[in-house]
Amino acid sequence: MTHSNTQALFLERWAEIDDLTAASELLGWDQETYMPAKGQTGRGKVLATLAGLHHAKLTSPELRDALDACADEAEPGSDLDAQMREARRRVERASRIPGELARRRAEAQSAGLAAWQEARKAKDFQLFAKELGVLVDLTREAAGHLAPLVASGKPFDALLDEYEPGASEAELAPLFASLRAELSPLVKGVAESGVRVDESPAQGRFPEERQLAFGRRVAEQMGFDFDAGRLDLAAHPFCSGFNPRDVRLTWRWQEDDFRPALFGIMHEAGHGLYEQGLPAEWERTPIGTAVSLGVHESQSRLWENLVGRSRSFWEWALPVFHEHFPDSRDVTVDALYPALHTVQPTFIRVEADEATYNLHICVRFEVERALFAGEIEVADLPAAWDDAYEELLGIRPADVAEGVLQDIHWSMGAFGYFPTYTLGNLINAQLFNKAREELGDLDAMFRAGELQPLLGWLRDKVHRHGSRYRAAELIEQTTGRALSPDDFLDYVRATTESVYGVRV
Ligand code: ZN
């Protein structure tokens, strides 16, 4: 690829910005994996310096000049046009927040995180209420500055746009309404059926090193390249990709149940495959990254749920499972399958099953929306939260630790983030059905352990495009229609019916 001098200058400046991001992420990975506890303070300072440098470069007159100089060369619809669109979006978002506000937000976030941890431990919302109030005020202020950048001009959309570019309340509200209308009766129907799933096939004694070996074996089968990636222990599983040849996954495990580790690894490896499949020719450019958090989550959920919990995958995986866990050699696919599709209302989102998960997100979407519309205030949050759980899931949290204080997001000032989880669930089902339509009998492939055709399809339709297209555009061009909840709902209805005999 050849570039004019002006383009070369723009891309050179951008590459430096990207390198600073990669450096911060690597330090973040280290912080969660190998850094000794006492390294915290020093690490915080290094990260703050890098964040300052990143912001300065992103908002520098030099970058703006380089972008302006390229403007005439960008043909509409060209790669360069997409590069400029993504670069401008990030420059504008960074430039519109006054330095003083950015500084106050950073301070409020560290105070918020500390107060949240304290309050959650003490199960006392009051210990977090003041800090949360400050975070909400500063976020409202920031959203006001960013609102002119989104199509609707609405502050809440400006918050959503940070994590899912182009997403809006007007588009999300009907999706959540139909999920709520369909899933809530389904979950209640299962509870009323009185059917209980025997989870013992997934339980037993599973030593750490065997779970690691099994998880790695499955990730390799998926196509994760361990010469271009790692898998390490961490308190919370995540995936960090610095470039397609260096992608780090983390996992955690539980001795008496193999599911959290295996599905955690498949989830993170799904994210990792996306990172390893990003276009090398656009590395260190604005469109060389994943398109949105929703699309990212679609990749992890697709491997974790649609592949990892399918009968056909287990027909291949079970002998490998028996090899690693000889004590479980009597477990069969038929016995295991229901334990992979339990439906049970619970309080904690991160432990929720496929059917209830999106109801947890519905609660958060509605509460955040009301908060930023000024319909409720911070003091109303615990009651609003508990009421919504009772209405949607039929259960009421006993305390704030299993209620409104369970998630870390607000303490870090991340409002508008949660919908990306649900978008991931909807996108993955729609992509998977299209893959099945185009590739033929996926189940026959899974049974033979052939996961490569599916990965190849995802590489071709999603990974290799980076952020060349907007997320909605990519979904429509790949699946031939706009995003809808139908495919996901069909899937959940079918699995629930086969396990519980409940049809709603
Ligand atoms: Zn994820």
Side-chain angles (χ1 to χ4, degrees):
M1 218 186 311
T2 56
H3 298 293
S4 69
N5 286 342
T6 40
Q7 288 173 42
L9 189 64
F10 154 52
L11 292 173
E12 215 171 278
R13 297 204 187 287
W14 196 270
E16 290 178 353
I17 293 171
D18 218 64
D19 290 346
L20 288 169
T21 306
S24 299
E25 282 181 7
L26 176 57
L27 292 176
W29 170 83
D30 175 69
Q31 197 167 10
E32 302 293 323
T33 50
Y34 295 111
M35 189 186 78
K38 290 181 180 169
Q40 196 66 41
T41 316
R43 181 59 48 88
K45 288 180 181 144
V46 178
L47 283 168
T49 298
L50 284 173
L53 286 172
H54 182 270
H55 187 266
K57 282 202 181 287
L58 194 56
T59 55
S60 71
E62 290 79 12
L63 178 64
R64 212 171 259 280
D65 291 348
L67 269 167
D68 289 343
C70 289
D72 295 340
E73 298 175 18
E75 295 281 331
S78 64
D79 291 354
L80 179 62
D81 194 38
Q83 299 280 22
M84 307 270 295
R85 179 197 71 217
E86 287 305 306
R88 280 202 192 284
R89 178 177 172 275
R90 293 187 41 200
V91 168
E92 286 296 332
R93 285 191 69 96
S95 313
R96 278 181 180 251
I97 304 292
E100 176 59 16
L101 176 57
R103 196 189 55 72
R104 277 158 59 216
R105 280 181 93 190
E107 274 175 19
Q109 283 161 18
S110 24
L113 189 58
W116 169 74
Q117 281 163 345
E118 191 87 345
R120 191 165 78 141
K121 208 155 64 182
K123 302 181 177 176
D124 182 357
F125 183 73
Q126 281 314 313
L127 297 177
F128 181 46
K130 194 177 109 237
E131 287 77 5
L132 182 57
V134 174
L135 281 164
V136 168
D137 287 345
L138 295 176
T139 305
R140 281 177 176 152
E141 197 178 329
H145 289 292
L146 297 173
L149 296 176
V150 296
S152 68
K154 289 188 179 160
F156 188 59
D157 287 352
L159 297 179
L160 297 169
D161 185 79
E162 170 75 22
Y163 310 105
E164 193 67 21
S168 68
E169 185 185 333
E171 275 175 18
L172 290 174
L175 294 182
F176 280 110
S178 66
L179 288 172
R180 185 192 163 116
E182 300 290 327
L183 293 174
S184 195
L186 183 82
V187 169
K188 286 172 188 161
V190 167
E192 282 157 16
S193 75
V195 178
R196 289 196 63 88
V197 163
D198 174 15
E199 297 188 55
S200 66
Q203 293 158 342
R205 278 178 60 78
F206 304 97
E208 178 186 356
E209 63 287 354
R210 295 205 189 148
Q211 292 204 55
L212 176 61
F214 182 55
R216 283 183 65 105
R217 175 75 182 78
V218 169
E220 272 167 5
Q221 196 74 15
M222 288 163 60
F224 186 79
D225 177 1
F226 278 98
D227 290 330
R230 297 184 53 89
L231 175 61
D232 299 88
L233 273 177
H236 303 284
F238 65 92
C239 164
S240 281
F242 315 125
N243 64 60
R245 296 164 316 285
D246 189 352
V247 178
R248 315 282 175 101
L249 316 176
T250 66
W251 73 300
R252 63 178 168 191
W253 62 287
Q254 200 177 309
E255 180 147 44
D256 59 0
D257 190 326
F258 78 85
R259 290 171 296 183
L262 176 68
F263 292 117
I265 290 173
M266 291 188 82
H267 181 100
E268 300 310 332
H271 281 304
L273 288 172
Y274 188 6
E275 292 288 325
Q276 288 185 340
L278 287 170
E281 73 272 26
W282 291 335
E283 202 176 316
R284 300 162 84 224
T285 77
I287 59 170
T289 58
V291 60
S292 73
L293 289 185
V295 173
H296 227 311
E297 194 66 8
S298 79
Q299 300 304 293
S300 56
R301 287 273 173 177
L302 186 144
W303 290 100
E304 175 195 354
N305 292 337
L306 301 181
V307 178
R309 295 178 198 274
S310 69
R311 212 177 267 280
S312 49
F313 169 78
W314 277 97
E315 281 164 21
W316 167 78
L318 199 69
V320 187
F321 177 78
H322 288 158
E323 254 169 53
H324 285 80
F325 306 108
D327 291 350
S328 298
R329 62 186 161 269
D330 295 336
V331 170
T332 62
V333 174
D334 283 342
L336 187 59
Y337 185 78
L340 307 180
H341 296 282
T342 54
V343 176
Q344 171 108 51
T346 51
F347 293 108
I348 304 296
R349 172 185 59 87
V350 296
E351 293 161 7
D353 54 64
E354 295 170 286
T356 56
Y357 191 91
N358 296 292
L359 292 172
H360 290 259
I361 304 299
C362 281
V363 170
R364 287 152 179 80
F365 176 68
E366 282 168 20
V367 165
E368 282 189 342
R369 191 165 69 144
L371 187 64
F372 284 91
E375 292 162 16
I376 58 172
E377 289 304 323
V378 167
D380 307 322
L381 283 171
W385 184 281
D386 294 352
D387 290 348
Y389 264 79
E390 190 154 6
E391 199 187 331
L392 267 65
L393 285 145
I395 53 175
R396 195 171 183 91
D399 58 57
V400 285
E402 62 178 23
V404 70
L405 290 186
Q406 65 179 275
D407 298 306
I408 195 171
H409 303 61
W410 293 347
S411 76
M412 299 163 69
F415 298 92
Y417 187 111
F418 291 116
T420 65
Y421 294 123
T422 285
L423 287 171
N425 287 322
L426 305 189
I427 297 167
N428 88 49
Q430 197 163 317
L431 283 175
F432 194 73
N433 281 348
K434 190 66 184 178
R436 195 190 291 281
E437 199 183 304
E438 293 188 356
L439 295 173
D441 194 348
L442 282 181
D443 288 318
M445 295 175 199
F446 293 177
R447 243 172 251 131
E450 288 169 11
L451 306 179
Q452 292 320 295
L454 178 60
L455 176 61
W457 189 88
L458 293 168
R459 290 259 194 263
D460 183 45
K461 304 292 179 180
V462 180
H463 304 177
R464 76 181 170 93
H465 298 293
S467 307
R468 172 70 173 74
Y469 306 99
R470 306 301 297 263
E473 216 181 331
L474 185 73
I475 293 158
E476 195 150 356
Q477 124 192 340
T478 299
T479 66
R481 57 207 162 91
L483 182 63
S484 104
D486 298 347
D487 298 50
F488 172 77
L489 286 168
D490 287 346
Y491 164 75
V492 173
R493 280 192 208 103
T495 54
T496 306
E497 190 179 357
S498 76
V499 172
Y500 289 91
V502 170
R503 194 192 189 111
V504 177

